[in-house]
Amino acid sequence: VNVRAARPEDAQQIARLTLQLGYDVRQEVIAESLRRRGSREVFVAATGERIVGWTAVSMHEPFVEGPGAHLDGLVVDESVRSSGIGGKLLAAAEAWARERDCKEMCLHSNVVRDRAHAFYRRHGYDTVKAQYYFRKLL
């Protein structure tokens, strides 16, 4: 498995994996997001031409806590989970954050994703708090 920065031409396979997270995002939206990265990076795990996982990480600077990084998402194809690919993707995101002098990585995980919670705990992440997530469409 090779972990590398995602490219716009990876959008179709990233969209396929994103469905496994429960999000139906058009590949055109993903491709455009990959073209305008800004303060974000997306990594993919590939076996040959097949992408079997992705993670996205971005700079995160809360007003009172200071600079850090946020793991925006991570998914490994259900056919190859528990094979170390998630750990490799997480390591790539953490290295990206360290290169930018981030002192912490934070993430949100749906309360129903028990397997994901165990994965993050095995990799040194602690549950800080439970909270509600509010959203308003504009």
Side-chain angles (χ1 to χ4, degrees), residues 39-85:
S39 62
R40 174 177 8 106
E41 186 59 87
V42 179
F43 295 98
V44 294
T47 57
E49 296 297 314
R50 181 174 175 241
I51 293 175
V52 294
W54 67 261
T55 191
V57 59
S58 60
M59 296 298 293
H60 177 67
E61 191 167 351
F63 179 66
V64 295
E65 296 171 1
H70 187 268
L71 196 71
D72 297 330
L74 188 151
V75 63
V76 173
D77 190 287
E78 56 198 5
S79 68
V80 292
R81 288 186 186 152
S82 298
S83 62
I85 294 169

Side-chain angles (χ1 to χ4, degrees), residues 2 29 36 54 88 91 103 119 121 132 137:
N2 177 42
V29 172
R36 60 175 165 74
W54 67 261
K88 289 179 181 181
K103 304 301 181 212
F119 166 80
R121 286 186 185 103
Y132 289 104
L137 298 178

Side-chain angles (χ1 to χ4, degrees), residues 2-52:
N2 177 42
V3 174
R4 61 168 172 78
R7 302 182 293 252
E9 57 267 24
D10 298 327
Q12 181 179 13
Q13 293 190 73
I14 292 171
R16 174 185 52 80
L17 289 168
T18 303
L19 279 171
Q20 292 184 23
L21 282 176
Y23 302 102
D24 188 4
V25 183
R26 292 186 349 259
Q27 74 181 56
E28 298 82 14
V29 172
I30 292 171
E32 179 56 31
S33 183
L34 289 171
R35 280 191 278 278
R36 60 175 165 74
R37 284 196 169 103
S39 62
R40 174 177 8 106
E41 186 59 87
V42 179
F43 295 98
V44 294
T47 57
E49 296 297 314
R50 181 174 175 241
I51 293 175
V52 294

